[in-house]
């Protein structure tokens, strides 16, 4: 068991599970399916090339669902932890729903992009678009008339380099790493837990189920994030203030 440096930092990776108690379906919870399509097939450049309207119907459905959801105690607890730790806190999320920002998290590393941003496939212009429902699918770029795609990282696409580099650096230096609500299947995001463990951090998993990351964890909170996050936050603050040594 590693012992936290005297005054360490906390890094966090979240996945779809932290938004489950807000009413958003997870990927694996739905068996990884949407209208019978495998998510990996729809969230993929080849699906976009073949049928942009179907891809947009998938994202439009998630925008409509996400717009009706509010952050839950899991999101709110992490926003509180950020306020308590300031620069000693880093939150990286695989989620594209924007609920961390809505909960008050000021600095969120969105590893896989956002449902609320679109990018022109012709001129590359990226902008926020929170119109629900979208009047036309696919939306068009006001500057050049090009097709706009979701500004989301699809399978087979690289993560934004600056964003993932920041997440890797925070994971490698932190005293405590929280992996919350993720099946830890999708790479390279899931590797952050291993990077943290290799860097000597304490790793806590907050998830009702076991995952491939469970093996590198020092402590397991086998429960829904919304139910335990208040306790996790208090224990995390104790841990990085040097009191913890479990
Ligand atoms: C890349 C945006 C290469 C889309 C997403 C084999 C090995 C390693 C890698 C690969 C491989 N084969 C293929 C790959 C690459 C691939 C990958 O990892 N595939 C997986 C399926 C094996 N990765 C990629 O393609 C990445 N890019 O590798 O590029 C490259 C390199 C160089 C040059 C060119 C290319 C890009 C990955 C990003 C894909 N985009 N999202 C969208 O959202 O529509 S990933 C998508 O799925 C989500 O963003 C999310 O990240 C992921 C789903 O994972 P989770 O968030 O974990 O959700 P899930 O439902 O799975 O789990 C929920 C968990 O919550 C469960 O454990 C459950 O128990 C728990 N839970 C439930 N309720 C609660 C809870 N926990 C707490 N509280 C609760 N209440
Ligand atoms: Zn354009």
């Amino acid at each position: 068991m590693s012992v936290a440096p005297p005054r360490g930092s906390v890094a966090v990776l979240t996945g779809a599970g932290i938004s489950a108690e807000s009413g958003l379906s997870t990927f694996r919870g739905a068996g990884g399916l949407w209208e019978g399509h495998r998510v990996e097939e729809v969230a993929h450049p080849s699906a976009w090339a073949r049928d942009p309207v179907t891809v947009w119907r998938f994202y439009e459905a998630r925008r409509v669902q996400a717009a009706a959801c509010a952050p839950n105690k899991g999101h709110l607890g992490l926003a509180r932890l950020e306020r308590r730790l300031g620069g000693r806190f880093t939150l990286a999320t695989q989620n594209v729903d924007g609920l961390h920002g809505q909960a008050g998290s000021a600095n969120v590393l969105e590893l896989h992009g956002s449902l609320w941003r679109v990018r022109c496939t012709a001129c590359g212009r990226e902008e926020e678009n929170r119109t629900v429902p979208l009047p036309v699918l696919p939306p068009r770029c006001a500057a050049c008339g090009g097709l706009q795609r979701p500004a989301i990282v699809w399978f087979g696409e690289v993560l934004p380099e600056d964003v993932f580099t920041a997440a890797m650096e925070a994971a490698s230096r932190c005293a405590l790493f929280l992996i919350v609500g993720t099946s830890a299947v999708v790479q390279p995001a899931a590797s952050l837990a291993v990077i943290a463990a290799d860097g000597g951090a304490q790793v806590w998993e907050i998830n009702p189920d076991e995952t491939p990351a469970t093996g590198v964890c020092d402590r397991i909170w086998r429960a829904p994030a919304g139910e335990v996050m208040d306790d996790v936050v208090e224990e995390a603050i104790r841990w990085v203030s040097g009191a913890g040594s479990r």
Side-chain angles (χ1 to χ4, degrees):
M1 293 293 184
S2 56
V3 175
R7 288 186 56 77
S9 60
V10 176
V12 184
L13 172 69
T14 64
I18 198 169
S19 297
E21 290 156 275
S22 294
L24 274 178
S25 46
T26 64
F27 288 80
R28 266 91 200 144
L33 293 177
W34 168 73
E35 291 190 357
H37 299 283
R38 288 201 54 69
V39 168
E40 283 84 5
E41 286 161 13
V42 181
H44 198 281
S46 58
W48 174 261
R50 186 174 57 249
D51 184 356
V53 172
T54 296
V55 173
W56 260 114
R57 285 197 315 102
F58 170 58
Y59 285 99
E60 175 70 351
R62 292 175 58 202
R63 285 164 60 102
V64 168
Q65 193 190 31
C69 291
N72 63 64
K73 289 183 72 179
H75 301 105
L76 295 166
L78 292 179
R80 192 166 68 254
L81 187 55
E82 178 188 54
R83 286 192 294 275
R84 287 285 295 271
L85 296 181
R88 292 192 292 141
F89 180 85
T90 302
L91 170 61
T93 187
Q94 300 171 89
N95 299 341
V96 296
D97 56 36
L99 289 177
H100 283 300
Q102 264 189 256
S105 289
N107 299 301
V108 184
L109 297 172
E110 291 185 316
L111 302 177
H112 294 159
S114 169
L115 280 175
W116 308 114
R117 296 189 62 76
V118 295
R119 186 169 66 244
C120 178
T121 54
C123 73
R125 184 173 172 215
E126 188 166 311
E127 60 193 18
E128 189 172 271
N129 179 324
R130 290 185 176 273
T131 307
V132 174
L134 282 168
V136 174
L137 294 180
R140 292 249 173 208
C141 172
C144 78
L147 285 187
Q148 291 174 316
R149 58 167 277 180
I152 279 184
V153 180
W154 286 330
F155 287 95
E157 293 186 323
V158 290
L159 279 58
E161 191 177 347
D162 53 339
V163 175
F164 190 61
T165 301
M168 278 196 294
E169 283 179 3
S172 64
R173 286 202 301 257
C174 69
L176 176 61
F177 189 83
L178 308 178
I179 180 165
V180 188
T182 180
S183 59
V185 164
V186 173
Q187 297 295 351
S191 65
L192 293 172
V194 177
I195 291 170
D198 289 349
Q202 270 276 304
V203 183
W204 296 352
E205 179 172 62
I206 296 97
N207 191 325
D209 295 345
E210 191 172 312
T211 74
T214 303
V216 300
C217 293
D218 301 283
R219 185 169 178 187
I220 306 293
W221 304 70
R222 199 55 81 217
E227 288 180 18
V228 297
M229 193 58 79
D230 287 346
D231 294 340
V232 172
V233 167
E234 290 318 310
E235 296 241 9
I237 290 163
R238 266 201 297 280
W239 175 266
V240 292
S241 57
S245 60
R246 263 187 301 284

